[in-house]
Amino acid sequence: MTARQVVVIGGGLAGVTAAIGLREAGFDVTLLEARPRLGGAASSFARGDLTIDNGQHVFLRCCTSYQELLARLGVSDLVTMQERFDVTVLSPHGRARLRRTALPGPLHMGRALTGYRLLPLAERLKVARAALALRSLDPADPAIDGVPLGAWLASKGQSERARRVLWDLFIVSALNIRGDEASLALSATVIQMALLGKKDAADIGVAAAPLGDLHGRAAADLLGTLGAQIRLATKAAAVERLPGGGFRIGLTGSGTGQQDADGAWPAADGPALLADGVVLAVPPGQAARLAGAAGLEGAGRWADLGASPIVNVHVVYDRQVTSLPFAAAVDSPVQWVFDKTRPAGLAAGQYLAVSLSAADTYVDIPAASLRQQFLPALERIFPAAAGARVTDFFVTRERRATFRQAPGIGALRPGTATAVPGFVLAGAWTDTGWPDTMEGAVRSGQRAAEELTRWLASQPAPSGAGRPEAATARTGAPS
Ligand SMILES: Cc1cc2nc3c(=O)[nH]c(=O)nc-3n(C[C@H](O)[C@H](O)[C@H](O)COP(=O)(O)OP(=O)(O)OC[C@H]3O[C@@H](n4cnc5c(N)ncnc54)[C@H](O)[C@@H]3O)c2cc1C
């Protein structure tokens, strides 16, 4: 029997997950990726002898689907997970340690909060009361979707200081938006799931290898082994519904995988692909265009999800300046800082990456100015840095790192299935119930594979006549 043809557009974590699921369900899968590598927003590049991540990524123990993907890719040993949630918070005025106990959630965070000396004691108790109030919210309630976190916290007695030195620590990095401007619904999701959920839910995991190895290379290996077609540096330019059923996907792509001087992927018309089903796993702006052209009404609204930047400031020292694997900072422009020495492959000295979320005010600042600001800031939290020589300094900027996780955003996130049969959506921006994260991306890919599998199974078996030709046959790619 001829297997059904499925095209997955977009090779980020969502598309990769969908492609694996669909191939395992027995479909002929072609995965299209505009860039010359898989992995999407979580990737790496070479800088001299080092391998640099485009931006620091962390995950929590409650990110179960992401960890399932890592296991399926055979790379679970390339991440490290702390045994117990433990965050050192640095400030020019001292430091605090937020460490969970072995008590069941939410009691496991009690001691960390009451001992958080960067906030006056009376304020810590108020934080506990607000956290319990947040715990009782229903994130799916449309009434809270439109409420900004800052206003809600203020109404619960949370001072400016409490919002900046405690709530922002987790919300700004989790939602990539200024804490006061964050969606209350998504904030409640994060706090309930991670900090007030099961006791081990917030234990932090980081990659011990470059993200490119963890996601891109491992995904290409597995999909190749499973027999999926991967077409890199190939962009879907249009998706068209065919009158007799199925889809025609128009392609552009040079096949060289080289960006032009403006950072765009060069286009050259290529042969079209035909498919019985399509997973659209690209960011919301591109998805709106492709789905709109495929006749999906209302897709234009997805562009309203907007974008929020993340900037990483990378500093290589000639010696070790901290023994912490990572730390958060308050009363400092540094938000979170990570020791990247080992994952990047640095043989001597120490490589720190400062991760700046909600980086609207940094994204257009020249590297020289950021250097002037961040080297002294790092010296204030790591005094040993004052005696160290900086051997390299550079900045990575992801202007559209996530969608803007602001009030009202829940109503804009579409589900997996669409009004077009056989045409499903995936991506961390779709309605996963999660913020724009690797976990959300993987969950969306799993759902997309399930939805398309279910729909294709409900269709009459292909007769061979009048159905779309094999995608591979039209392109001449090996099967
Ligand atoms: C700097 C940074 C830091 C982050 N930190 C964290 C973190 O700490 N923890 C966390 O969980 N998440 C983090 N995220 C978010 C996380 O990376 C994303 O949520 C996730 O990777 C999104 O995956 P995706 O598959 O939905 O989308 P993407 O990764 O955006 O994948 C979409 C893919 O589609 C491709 N594409 C676009 N148009 C076309 C087309 N027409 N044809 C073919 N291909 C196309 C793109 O090239 C891209 O590869 C961070 C993101 C960034 C940028």
Side-chain angles (χ1 to χ4, degrees):
M1 195 175 87
T2 319
R4 311 264 189 160
Q5 307 294 319
V6 172
V7 170
V8 178
I9 306 174
L13 291 173
V16 159
T17 306
I20 294 169
L22 288 160
R23 186 69 199 113
E24 288 178 336
F27 302 109
D28 275 356
V29 174
T30 302
L31 174 60
L32 304 178
E33 169 51 52
R35 300 185 215 201
R37 50 160 181 77
L38 299 179
S43 61
S44 316
F45 60 93
R47 183 180 171 90
D49 294 338
L50 302 186
T51 309
I52 308 297
D53 290 341
N54 67 323
Q56 174 63 42
H57 279 64
V58 306
F59 62 97
L60 305 181
R61 202 184 291 278
C62 61
C63 298
T64 50
S65 296
Y66 174 66
Q67 290 171 83
E68 276 168 30
L69 175 67
L70 295 181
R72 185 69 189 88
L73 296 177
V75 292
S76 299
D77 58 334
L78 297 185
V79 297
T80 56
M81 168 75 72
Q82 50 182 201
E83 277 174 25
R84 191 178 278 202
F85 173 86
D86 187 356
V87 175
T88 299
V89 185
L90 304 169
S91 132
H93 322 297
R95 62 168 63 191
R97 192 169 172 193
L98 290 166
R99 185 166 191 262
R100 78 164 170 90
T101 61
L103 290 172
L107 300 175
H108 63 316
M109 291 293 181
R111 193 188 295 167
L113 178 58
T114 51
Y116 189 59
R117 60 171 98 149
L118 297 171
L119 198 61
L121 182 60
E123 299 233 22
R124 294 175 222 164
L125 300 177
K126 284 188 189 167
V127 169
R129 278 201 293 274
L132 290 177
L134 196 67
R135 192 166 179 242
S136 65
L137 295 179
D138 175 6
D141 179 354
I144 71 163
D145 183 31
V147 179
L149 177 67
W152 186 87
L153 285 177
S155 77
K156 300 293 172 204
Q158 302 304 286
S159 67
E160 168 83 19
R161 175 106 191 125
R163 300 203 301 275
R164 297 297 79 82
V165 304
L166 194 53
W167 292 97
D168 276 6
L169 271 189
F170 303 106
I171 295 300
V172 174
S173 53
L175 298 185
N176 191 25
I177 188 165
R178 277 165 37 97
D180 284 353
E181 295 164 14
S183 146
L184 175 58
L186 281 175
S187 304
T189 301
V190 169
I191 301 289
Q192 288 176 9
M193 241 172 347
L195 294 172
L196 301 176
K198 283 171 63 181
K199 70 179 179 196
D200 61 358
D203 301 348
I204 295 175
V206 293
L211 291 173
D213 291 358
L214 203 59
H215 303 145
R217 195 166 305 161
D221 287 350
L222 176 62
L223 284 165
T225 305
L226 291 173
Q229 300 285 328
I230 304 171
R231 299 196 47 188
L232 300 177
T234 305
K235 183 172 180 176
V239 180
E240 186 191 334
R241 288 171 77 181
L242 298 174
F247 302 87
R248 177 183 181 280
I249 298 107
L251 306 179
T252 62
S254 68
T256 64
Q258 300 297 313
Q259 274 176 294
D260 65 21
D262 298 326
W265 301 103
D269 286 341
L273 297 180
L274 297 174
D276 299 290
V278 170
V279 177
L280 188 59
V282 301
Q286 285 99 312
R289 275 195 295 282
L290 287 169
L296 194 64
E297 279 180 28
R301 292 184 70 211
W302 304 339
D304 296 343
L305 285 161
S308 190
I310 296 179
V311 168
N312 274 225
V313 170
H314 307 257
V315 188
V316 182
Y317 295 99
D318 67 346
R319 68 199 69 175
Q320 188 177 27
V321 302
T322 175
S323 57
L324 293 168
F326 58 81
V330 298
D331 300 322
S332 163
V334 175
Q335 295 173 4
W336 285 77
V337 56
F338 296 82
D339 182 359
K340 301 290 288 178
T341 308
R342 262 193 51 219
L346 180 70
Q350 189 168 32
Y351 162 25
L352 300 182
V354 178
S355 179
L356 301 170
S357 300
D360 306 74
T361 54
Y362 294 115
V363 74
D364 292 315
I365 303 285
S369 306
L370 292 173
R371 183 182 176 118
Q372 277 179 357
Q373 183 174 8
F374 279 91
L375 292 187
L378 285 166
E379 286 174 18
R380 283 194 286 275
I381 55 173
F382 300 129
R389 191 167 60 85
V390 173
T391 59
D392 198 5
F393 181 99
F394 57 99
V395 178
T396 48
R397 305 163 202 265
E398 291 284 354
R399 291 175 188 278
R400 308 188 69 81
T402 64
F403 70 88
R404 209 160 187 88
Q405 304 185 74
I409 215 72
L412 294 174
R413 296 176 79 182
T416 309
T418 71
V420 175
F423 185 79
V424 304
L425 302 175
W429 58 278
T430 59
D431 187 9
T432 62
W434 281 70
D436 190 332
T437 51
M438 300 189 289
E439 175 71 8
V442 173
R443 283 179 183 242
S444 77
Q446 289 171 337
R447 282 191 200 171
E450 285 161 15
E451 176 64 29
L452 195 53
T453 300
R454 193 190 55 70
W455 183 80
L456 286 168
S458 73
Q459 300 304 296
S463 65
R467 63 176 292 277
E469 296 168 49
T472 48
R474 286 292 298 268
T475 62
S479 56

